[in-house]
Amino acid sequence: MSAAIARNAPCPCGSGKRFKDCHGAVDLPPEQPVDLEEIVRQAQVAFVSGQLAAAKALIGHALVAPR
């Protein structure tokens, strides 16, 4: 399974931006998502970009987020 995304490839979040301009910044803390859909989207981007610990933390956050 390949989890790495080329930094010049389109971002998997669907923004239309290059990955490096959207979610590919190195060593930046993740922003706090404001709703469940945003948490899941950020978890997907983290997973696809190989940031498995961040993806797991975001999914954990989604499971306890108020609905």
Side-chain angles (χ1 to χ4, degrees), residues 18-52:
R18 292 181 297 179
F19 179 69
K20 70 179 183 180
D21 296 329
C22 190
H23 289 94
V26 178
D27 295 331
L28 292 179
E31 294 179 16
Q32 287 295 91
V34 294
D35 66 347
L36 187 57
E37 289 180 17
E38 179 65 11
I39 293 170
V40 172
R41 185 190 65 75
Q42 286 190 11
Q44 290 170 329
V45 170
F47 178 79
V48 171
S49 64
Q51 300 171 355
L52 303 181

PDB file of all heavy atoms in Angstrom, residues 18-52:
ATOM      1  N   ARG A  18      -2.536  22.087  -5.394  1.00  0.00           N
ATOM      2  CA  ARG A  18      -1.492  21.082  -5.283  1.00  0.00           C
ATOM      3  C   ARG A  18      -1.400  20.657  -3.816  1.00  0.00           C
ATOM      4  O   ARG A  18      -1.665  21.459  -2.912  1.00  0.00           O
ATOM      5  CB  ARG A  18      -0.145  21.636  -5.736  1.00  0.00           C
ATOM      6  CG  ARG A  18      -0.096  21.921  -7.233  1.00  0.00           C
ATOM      7  CD  ARG A  18       1.245  22.435  -7.633  1.00  0.00           C
ATOM      8  NE  ARG A  18       1.484  23.719  -6.948  1.00  0.00           N
ATOM      9  CZ  ARG A  18       2.568  24.431  -7.059  1.00  0.00           C
ATOM     10  NH1 ARG A  18       3.552  24.028  -7.826  1.00  0.00           N
ATOM     11  NH2 ARG A  18       2.703  25.560  -6.409  1.00  0.00           N
ATOM     12  N   PHE A  19      -1.029  19.396  -3.579  1.00  0.00           N
ATOM     13  CA  PHE A  19      -0.953  18.872  -2.215  1.00  0.00           C
ATOM     14  C   PHE A  19      -0.071  19.746  -1.338  1.00  0.00           C
ATOM     15  O   PHE A  19      -0.445  20.073  -0.209  1.00  0.00           O
ATOM     16  CB  PHE A  19      -0.441  17.430  -2.242  1.00  0.00           C
ATOM     17  CG  PHE A  19      -0.312  16.819  -0.889  1.00  0.00           C
ATOM     18  CD1 PHE A  19      -1.435  16.522  -0.137  1.00  0.00           C
ATOM     19  CD2 PHE A  19       0.930  16.534  -0.353  1.00  0.00           C
ATOM     20  CE1 PHE A  19      -1.327  15.960   1.126  1.00  0.00           C
ATOM     21  CE2 PHE A  19       1.048  15.970   0.899  1.00  0.00           C
ATOM     22  CZ  PHE A  19      -0.074  15.687   1.635  1.00  0.00           C
ATOM     23  N   LYS A  20       1.079  20.187  -1.856  1.00  0.00           N
ATOM     24  CA  LYS A  20       1.996  20.971  -1.023  1.00  0.00           C
ATOM     25  C   LYS A  20       1.418  22.327  -0.656  1.00  0.00           C
ATOM     26  O   LYS A  20       1.775  22.901   0.356  1.00  0.00           O
ATOM     27  CB  LYS A  20       3.351  21.138  -1.712  1.00  0.00           C
ATOM     28  CG  LYS A  20       3.345  22.050  -2.917  1.00  0.00           C
ATOM     29  CD  LYS A  20       4.741  22.158  -3.502  1.00  0.00           C
ATOM     30  CE  LYS A  20       4.781  23.116  -4.668  1.00  0.00           C
ATOM     31  NZ  LYS A  20       6.120  23.219  -5.215  1.00  0.00           N
ATOM     32  N   ASP A  21       0.502  22.849  -1.451  1.00  0.00           N
ATOM     33  CA  ASP A  21      -0.106  24.144  -1.163  1.00  0.00           C
ATOM     34  C   ASP A  21      -1.349  24.025  -0.292  1.00  0.00           C
ATOM     35  O   ASP A  21      -1.851  25.022   0.211  1.00  0.00           O
ATOM     36  CB  ASP A  21      -0.470  24.863  -2.462  1.00  0.00           C
ATOM     37  CG  ASP A  21       0.755  25.190  -3.295  1.00  0.00           C
ATOM     38  OD1 ASP A  21       1.833  25.416  -2.707  1.00  0.00           O
ATOM     39  OD2 ASP A  21       0.636  25.214  -4.528  1.00  0.00           O
ATOM     40  N   CYS A  22      -1.860  22.820  -0.147  1.00  0.00           N
ATOM     41  CA  CYS A  22      -3.101  22.625   0.604  1.00  0.00           C
ATOM     42  C   CYS A  22      -2.835  21.928   1.940  1.00  0.00           C
ATOM     43  O   CYS A  22      -2.951  22.534   2.986  1.00  0.00           O
ATOM     44  CB  CYS A  22      -4.084  21.823  -0.246  1.00  0.00           C
ATOM     45  SG  CYS A  22      -5.748  21.738   0.423  1.00  0.00           S
ATOM     46  N   HIS A  23      -2.474  20.656   1.901  1.00  0.00           N
ATOM     47  CA  HIS A  23      -2.259  19.891   3.121  1.00  0.00           C
ATOM     48  C   HIS A  23      -0.853  19.331   3.235  1.00  0.00           C
ATOM     49  O   HIS A  23      -0.568  18.592   4.170  1.00  0.00           O
ATOM     50  CB  HIS A  23      -3.258  18.725   3.197  1.00  0.00           C
ATOM     51  CG  HIS A  23      -4.643  19.172   3.463  1.00  0.00           C
ATOM     52  ND1 HIS A  23      -5.543  19.395   2.459  1.00  0.00           N
ATOM     53  CD2 HIS A  23      -5.269  19.468   4.607  1.00  0.00           C
ATOM     54  CE1 HIS A  23      -6.673  19.795   2.985  1.00  0.00           C
ATOM     55  NE2 HIS A  23      -6.538  19.850   4.292  1.00  0.00           N
ATOM     56  N   GLY A  24       0.023  19.689   2.330  1.00  0.00           N
ATOM     57  CA  GLY A  24       1.352  19.098   2.314  1.00  0.00           C
ATOM     58  C   GLY A  24       2.409  19.879   3.061  1.00  0.00           C
ATOM     59  O   GLY A  24       3.584  19.607   2.918  1.00  0.00           O
ATOM     60  N   ALA A  25       2.000  20.851   3.860  1.00  0.00           N
ATOM     61  CA  ALA A  25       2.977  21.622   4.616  1.00  0.00           C
ATOM     62  C   ALA A  25       3.670  20.710   5.625  1.00  0.00           C
ATOM     63  O   ALA A  25       3.037  19.877   6.252  1.00  0.00           O
ATOM     64  CB  ALA A  25       2.298  22.781   5.331  1.00  0.00           C
ATOM     65  N   VAL A  26       4.961  20.874   5.759  1.00  0.00           N
ATOM     66  CA  VAL A  26       5.743  20.013   6.636  1.00  0.00           C
ATOM     67  C   VAL A  26       5.808  20.628   8.033  1.00  0.00           C
ATOM     68  O   VAL A  26       6.049  21.813   8.194  1.00  0.00           O
ATOM     69  CB  VAL A  26       7.170  19.842   6.066  1.00  0.00           C
ATOM     70  CG1 VAL A  26       8.023  18.980   6.975  1.00  0.00           C
ATOM     71  CG2 VAL A  26       7.098  19.264   4.671  1.00  0.00           C
ATOM     72  N   ASP A  27       5.555  19.783   9.039  1.00  0.00           N
ATOM     73  CA  ASP A  27       5.693  20.158  10.449  1.00  0.00           C
ATOM     74  C   ASP A  27       4.794  21.307  10.899  1.00  0.00           C
ATOM     75  O   ASP A  27       5.145  22.068  11.785  1.00  0.00           O
ATOM     76  CB  ASP A  27       7.151  20.491  10.785  1.00  0.00           C
ATOM     77  CG  ASP A  27       8.046  19.287  10.646  1.00  0.00           C
ATOM     78  OD1 ASP A  27       7.558  18.157  10.834  1.00  0.00           O
ATOM     79  OD2 ASP A  27       9.232  19.480  10.355  1.00  0.00           O
ATOM     80  N   LEU A  28       3.643  21.457  10.297  1.00  0.00           N
ATOM     81  CA  LEU A  28       2.684  22.438  10.779  1.00  0.00           C
ATOM     82  C   LEU A  28       1.649  21.711  11.625  1.00  0.00           C
ATOM     83  O   LEU A  28       1.176  20.644  11.253  1.00  0.00           O
ATOM     84  CB  LEU A  28       1.976  23.136   9.608  1.00  0.00           C
ATOM     85  CG  LEU A  28       2.833  24.046   8.755  1.00  0.00           C
ATOM     86  CD1 LEU A  28       2.006  24.632   7.625  1.00  0.00           C
ATOM     87  CD2 LEU A  28       3.419  25.163   9.589  1.00  0.00           C
ATOM     88  N   PRO A  29       1.281  22.259  12.774  1.00  0.00           N
ATOM     89  CA  PRO A  29       0.259  21.591  13.578  1.00  0.00           C
ATOM     90  C   PRO A  29      -1.083  21.623  12.854  1.00  0.00           C
ATOM     91  O   PRO A  29      -1.412  22.609  12.195  1.00  0.00           O
ATOM     92  CB  PRO A  29       0.209  22.429  14.857  1.00  0.00           C
ATOM     93  CG  PRO A  29       0.780  23.746  14.485  1.00  0.00           C
ATOM     94  CD  PRO A  29       1.743  23.502  13.359  1.00  0.00           C
ATOM     95  N   PRO A  30      -1.861  20.535  12.968  1.00  0.00           N
ATOM     96  CA  PRO A  30      -3.159  20.528  12.294  1.00  0.00           C
ATOM     97  C   PRO A  30      -4.107  21.529  12.943  1.00  0.00           C
ATOM     98  O   PRO A  30      -4.065  21.743  14.148  1.00  0.00           O
ATOM     99  CB  PRO A  30      -3.655  19.096  12.486  1.00  0.00           C
ATOM    100  CG  PRO A  30      -2.918  18.592  13.674  1.00  0.00           C
ATOM    101  CD  PRO A  30      -1.600  19.316  13.690  1.00  0.00           C
ATOM    102  N   GLU A  31      -4.930  22.156  12.117  1.00  0.00           N
ATOM    103  CA  GLU A  31      -5.944  23.059  12.638  1.00  0.00           C
ATOM    104  C   GLU A  31      -7.040  22.230  13.294  1.00  0.00           C
ATOM    105  O   GLU A  31      -7.281  21.094  12.920  1.00  0.00           O
ATOM    106  CB  GLU A  31      -6.544  23.880  11.498  1.00  0.00           C
ATOM    107  CG  GLU A  31      -5.565  24.817  10.851  1.00  0.00           C
ATOM    108  CD  GLU A  31      -6.204  25.594   9.708  1.00  0.00           C
ATOM    109  OE1 GLU A  31      -7.443  25.624   9.619  1.00  0.00           O
ATOM    110  OE2 GLU A  31      -5.455  26.156   8.921  1.00  0.00           O
ATOM    111  N   GLN A  32      -7.694  22.789  14.279  1.00  0.00           N
ATOM    112  CA  GLN A  32      -8.787  22.084  14.926  1.00  0.00           C
ATOM    113  C   GLN A  32     -10.013  22.112  14.023  1.00  0.00           C
ATOM    114  O   GLN A  32     -10.510  23.179  13.690  1.00  0.00           O
ATOM    115  CB  GLN A  32      -9.130  22.739  16.268  1.00  0.00           C
ATOM    116  CG  GLN A  32      -8.101  22.472  17.341  1.00  0.00           C
ATOM    117  CD  GLN A  32      -8.049  21.013  17.698  1.00  0.00           C
ATOM    118  OE1 GLN A  32      -7.285  20.244  17.124  1.00  0.00           O
ATOM    119  NE2 GLN A  32      -8.848  20.618  18.634  1.00  0.00           N
ATOM    120  N   PRO A  33     -10.483  20.960  13.602  1.00  0.00           N
ATOM    121  CA  PRO A  33     -11.695  20.916  12.785  1.00  0.00           C
ATOM    122  C   PRO A  33     -12.893  21.441  13.555  1.00  0.00           C
ATOM    123  O   PRO A  33     -12.968  21.294  14.768  1.00  0.00           O
ATOM    124  CB  PRO A  33     -11.868  19.428  12.475  1.00  0.00           C
ATOM    125  CG  PRO A  33     -10.528  18.824  12.729  1.00  0.00           C
ATOM    126  CD  PRO A  33      -9.888  19.657  13.787  1.00  0.00           C
ATOM    127  N   VAL A  34     -13.821  22.033  12.830  1.00  0.00           N
ATOM    128  CA  VAL A  34     -14.980  22.629  13.481  1.00  0.00           C
ATOM    129  C   VAL A  34     -16.213  21.733  13.435  1.00  0.00           C
ATOM    130  O   VAL A  34     -17.138  21.942  14.184  1.00  0.00           O
ATOM    131  CB  VAL A  34     -15.309  24.005  12.872  1.00  0.00           C
ATOM    132  CG1 VAL A  34     -14.189  24.989  13.160  1.00  0.00           C
ATOM    133  CG2 VAL A  34     -15.540  23.908  11.385  1.00  0.00           C
ATOM    134  N   ASP A  35     -16.249  20.750  12.563  1.00  0.00           N
ATOM    135  CA  ASP A  35     -17.407  19.862  12.525  1.00  0.00           C
ATOM    136  C   ASP A  35     -16.976  18.448  12.136  1.00  0.00           C
ATOM    137  O   ASP A  35     -15.852  18.214  11.721  1.00  0.00           O
ATOM    138  CB  ASP A  35     -18.489  20.392  11.582  1.00  0.00           C
ATOM    139  CG  ASP A  35     -18.067  20.406  10.128  1.00  0.00           C
ATOM    140  OD1 ASP A  35     -16.867  20.234   9.837  1.00  0.00           O
ATOM    141  OD2 ASP A  35     -18.931  20.580   9.275  1.00  0.00           O
ATOM    142  N   LEU A  36     -17.887  17.515  12.277  1.00  0.00           N
ATOM    143  CA  LEU A  36     -17.581  16.106  12.063  1.00  0.00           C
ATOM    144  C   LEU A  36     -17.100  15.831  10.637  1.00  0.00           C
ATOM    145  O   LEU A  36     -16.136  15.088  10.441  1.00  0.00           O
ATOM    146  CB  LEU A  36     -18.808  15.258  12.387  1.00  0.00           C
ATOM    147  CG  LEU A  36     -18.605  13.754  12.382  1.00  0.00           C
ATOM    148  CD1 LEU A  36     -17.510  13.349  13.346  1.00  0.00           C
ATOM    149  CD2 LEU A  36     -19.901  13.052  12.723  1.00  0.00           C
ATOM    150  N   GLU A  37     -17.745  16.422   9.641  1.00  0.00           N
ATOM    151  CA  GLU A  37     -17.324  16.202   8.252  1.00  0.00           C
ATOM    152  C   GLU A  37     -15.895  16.688   8.030  1.00  0.00           C
ATOM    153  O   GLU A  37     -15.119  16.055   7.329  1.00  0.00           O
ATOM    154  CB  GLU A  37     -18.276  16.887   7.292  1.00  0.00           C
ATOM    155  CG  GLU A  37     -19.631  16.217   7.210  1.00  0.00           C
ATOM    156  CD  GLU A  37     -20.570  16.917   6.251  1.00  0.00           C
ATOM    157  OE1 GLU A  37     -20.106  17.711   5.416  1.00  0.00           O
ATOM    158  OE2 GLU A  37     -21.772  16.655   6.348  1.00  0.00           O
ATOM    159  N   GLU A  38     -15.548  17.810   8.643  1.00  0.00           N
ATOM    160  CA  GLU A  38     -14.194  18.352   8.502  1.00  0.00           C
ATOM    161  C   GLU A  38     -13.175  17.447   9.200  1.00  0.00           C
ATOM    162  O   GLU A  38     -12.080  17.218   8.697  1.00  0.00           O
ATOM    163  CB  GLU A  38     -14.124  19.771   9.069  1.00  0.00           C
ATOM    164  CG  GLU A  38     -12.752  20.405   8.997  1.00  0.00           C
ATOM    165  CD  GLU A  38     -12.232  20.650   7.590  1.00  0.00           C
ATOM    166  OE1 GLU A  38     -12.984  20.532   6.608  1.00  0.00           O
ATOM    167  OE2 GLU A  38     -11.046  20.963   7.466  1.00  0.00           O
ATOM    168  N   ILE A  39     -13.538  16.900  10.350  1.00  0.00           N
ATOM    169  CA  ILE A  39     -12.648  15.986  11.059  1.00  0.00           C
ATOM    170  C   ILE A  39     -12.364  14.764  10.192  1.00  0.00           C
ATOM    171  O   ILE A  39     -11.214  14.348  10.027  1.00  0.00           O
ATOM    172  CB  ILE A  39     -13.265  15.547  12.405  1.00  0.00           C
ATOM    173  CG1 ILE A  39     -13.360  16.728  13.359  1.00  0.00           C
ATOM    174  CG2 ILE A  39     -12.434  14.427  13.036  1.00  0.00           C
ATOM    175  CD1 ILE A  39     -14.183  16.437  14.604  1.00  0.00           C
ATOM    176  N   VAL A  40     -13.405  14.185   9.614  1.00  0.00           N
ATOM    177  CA  VAL A  40     -13.246  12.994   8.775  1.00  0.00           C
ATOM    178  C   VAL A  40     -12.427  13.325   7.532  1.00  0.00           C
ATOM    179  O   VAL A  40     -11.545  12.561   7.135  1.00  0.00           O
ATOM    180  CB  VAL A  40     -14.618  12.394   8.410  1.00  0.00           C
ATOM    181  CG1 VAL A  40     -14.470  11.283   7.387  1.00  0.00           C
ATOM    182  CG2 VAL A  40     -15.315  11.882   9.664  1.00  0.00           C
ATOM    183  N   ARG A  41     -12.665  14.479   6.920  1.00  0.00           N
ATOM    184  CA  ARG A  41     -11.903  14.877   5.725  1.00  0.00           C
ATOM    185  C   ARG A  41     -10.419  15.014   6.074  1.00  0.00           C
ATOM    186  O   ARG A  41      -9.548  14.527   5.355  1.00  0.00           O
ATOM    187  CB  ARG A  41     -12.437  16.188   5.153  1.00  0.00           C
ATOM    188  CG  ARG A  41     -11.761  16.578   3.833  1.00  0.00           C
ATOM    189  CD  ARG A  41     -12.098  17.982   3.395  1.00  0.00           C
ATOM    190  NE  ARG A  41     -11.593  18.988   4.317  1.00  0.00           N
ATOM    191  CZ  ARG A  41     -10.315  19.358   4.404  1.00  0.00           C
ATOM    192  NH1 ARG A  41      -9.409  18.786   3.648  1.00  0.00           N
ATOM    193  NH2 ARG A  41      -9.933  20.272   5.259  1.00  0.00           N
ATOM    194  N   GLN A  42     -10.129  15.654   7.198  1.00  0.00           N
ATOM    195  CA  GLN A  42      -8.730  15.816   7.595  1.00  0.00           C
ATOM    196  C   GLN A  42      -8.097  14.463   7.922  1.00  0.00           C
ATOM    197  O   GLN A  42      -6.921  14.246   7.634  1.00  0.00           O
ATOM    198  CB  GLN A  42      -8.617  16.767   8.782  1.00  0.00           C
ATOM    199  CG  GLN A  42      -8.825  18.199   8.390  1.00  0.00           C
ATOM    200  CD  GLN A  42      -8.468  19.168   9.504  1.00  0.00           C
ATOM    201  OE1 GLN A  42      -7.870  18.794  10.506  1.00  0.00           O
ATOM    202  NE2 GLN A  42      -8.838  20.418   9.333  1.00  0.00           N
ATOM    203  N   ALA A  43      -8.861  13.559   8.513  1.00  0.00           N
ATOM    204  CA  ALA A  43      -8.345  12.219   8.799  1.00  0.00           C
ATOM    205  C   ALA A  43      -8.016  11.485   7.504  1.00  0.00           C
ATOM    206  O   ALA A  43      -6.998  10.794   7.415  1.00  0.00           O
ATOM    207  CB  ALA A  43      -9.353  11.423   9.626  1.00  0.00           C
ATOM    208  N   GLN A  44      -8.870  11.627   6.498  1.00  0.00           N
ATOM    209  CA  GLN A  44      -8.613  10.987   5.206  1.00  0.00           C
ATOM    210  C   GLN A  44      -7.342  11.532   4.578  1.00  0.00           C
ATOM    211  O   GLN A  44      -6.508  10.771   4.070  1.00  0.00           O
ATOM    212  CB  GLN A  44      -9.790  11.199   4.259  1.00  0.00           C
ATOM    213  CG  GLN A  44     -11.021  10.430   4.653  1.00  0.00           C
ATOM    214  CD  GLN A  44     -12.235  10.833   3.838  1.00  0.00           C
ATOM    215  OE1 GLN A  44     -12.366  11.975   3.411  1.00  0.00           O
ATOM    216  NE2 GLN A  44     -13.140   9.885   3.629  1.00  0.00           N
ATOM    217  N   VAL A  45      -7.176  12.835   4.607  1.00  0.00           N
ATOM    218  CA  VAL A  45      -5.979  13.455   4.029  1.00  0.00           C
ATOM    219  C   VAL A  45      -4.735  13.000   4.790  1.00  0.00           C
ATOM    220  O   VAL A  45      -3.720  12.657   4.185  1.00  0.00           O
ATOM    221  CB  VAL A  45      -6.107  14.994   4.020  1.00  0.00           C
ATOM    222  CG1 VAL A  45      -4.781  15.654   3.659  1.00  0.00           C
ATOM    223  CG2 VAL A  45      -7.201  15.431   3.063  1.00  0.00           C
ATOM    224  N   ALA A  46      -4.821  12.961   6.116  1.00  0.00           N
ATOM    225  CA  ALA A  46      -3.674  12.517   6.920  1.00  0.00           C
ATOM    226  C   ALA A  46      -3.326  11.068   6.599  1.00  0.00           C
ATOM    227  O   ALA A  46      -2.156  10.724   6.428  1.00  0.00           O
ATOM    228  CB  ALA A  46      -3.983  12.680   8.410  1.00  0.00           C
ATOM    229  N   PHE A  47      -4.334  10.205   6.474  1.00  0.00           N
ATOM    230  CA  PHE A  47      -4.098   8.797   6.183  1.00  0.00           C
ATOM    231  C   PHE A  47      -3.433   8.628   4.822  1.00  0.00           C
ATOM    232  O   PHE A  47      -2.431   7.927   4.688  1.00  0.00           O
ATOM    233  CB  PHE A  47      -5.407   8.013   6.233  1.00  0.00           C
ATOM    234  CG  PHE A  47      -5.237   6.561   5.892  1.00  0.00           C
ATOM    235  CD1 PHE A  47      -4.749   5.681   6.830  1.00  0.00           C
ATOM    236  CD2 PHE A  47      -5.555   6.082   4.638  1.00  0.00           C
ATOM    237  CE1 PHE A  47      -4.574   4.342   6.524  1.00  0.00           C
ATOM    238  CE2 PHE A  47      -5.394   4.753   4.313  1.00  0.00           C
ATOM    239  CZ  PHE A  47      -4.897   3.879   5.266  1.00  0.00           C
ATOM    240  N   VAL A  48      -3.974   9.288   3.815  1.00  0.00           N
ATOM    241  CA  VAL A  48      -3.452   9.150   2.458  1.00  0.00           C
ATOM    242  C   VAL A  48      -2.032   9.703   2.355  1.00  0.00           C
ATOM    243  O   VAL A  48      -1.219   9.197   1.594  1.00  0.00           O
ATOM    244  CB  VAL A  48      -4.396   9.845   1.443  1.00  0.00           C
ATOM    245  CG1 VAL A  48      -3.782   9.919   0.063  1.00  0.00           C
ATOM    246  CG2 VAL A  48      -5.728   9.123   1.386  1.00  0.00           C
ATOM    247  N   SER A  49      -1.724  10.714   3.173  1.00  0.00           N
ATOM    248  CA  SER A  49      -0.388  11.289   3.118  1.00  0.00           C
ATOM    249  C   SER A  49       0.600  10.570   4.032  1.00  0.00           C
ATOM    250  O   SER A  49       1.732  11.003   4.180  1.00  0.00           O
ATOM    251  CB  SER A  49      -0.431  12.782   3.452  1.00  0.00           C
ATOM    252  OG  SER A  49      -0.862  12.974   4.775  1.00  0.00           O
ATOM    253  N   GLY A  50       0.156   9.465   4.656  1.00  0.00           N
ATOM    254  CA  GLY A  50       1.061   8.663   5.454  1.00  0.00           C
ATOM    255  C   GLY A  50       1.188   9.086   6.903  1.00  0.00           C
ATOM    256  O   GLY A  50       2.009   8.551   7.630  1.00  0.00           O
ATOM    257  N   GLN A  51       0.392  10.024   7.335  1.00  0.00           N
ATOM    258  CA  GLN A  51       0.435  10.493   8.723  1.00  0.00           C
ATOM    259  C   GLN A  51      -0.571   9.682   9.535  1.00  0.00           C
ATOM    260  O   GLN A  51      -1.630  10.163   9.924  1.00  0.00           O
ATOM    261  CB  GLN A  51       0.133  11.983   8.776  1.00  0.00           C
ATOM    262  CG  GLN A  51       1.117  12.805   7.983  1.00  0.00           C
ATOM    263  CD  GLN A  51       0.694  14.256   7.870  1.00  0.00           C
ATOM    264  OE1 GLN A  51      -0.376  14.638   8.311  1.00  0.00           O
ATOM    265  NE2 GLN A  51       1.531  15.060   7.258  1.00  0.00           N
ATOM    266  N   LEU A  52      -0.223   8.412   9.773  1.00  0.00           N
ATOM    267  CA  LEU A  52      -1.163   7.476  10.381  1.00  0.00           C
ATOM    268  C   LEU A  52      -1.527   7.848  11.806  1.00  0.00           C
ATOM    269  O   LEU A  52      -2.686   7.700  12.210  1.00  0.00           O
ATOM    270  CB  LEU A  52      -0.605   6.061  10.298  1.00  0.00           C
ATOM    271  CG  LEU A  52      -0.283   5.572   8.882  1.00  0.00           C
ATOM    272  CD1 LEU A  52       0.232   4.143   8.917  1.00  0.00           C
ATOM    273  CD2 LEU A  52      -1.491   5.696   7.975  1.00  0.00           C
TER     274      LEU A  52
END
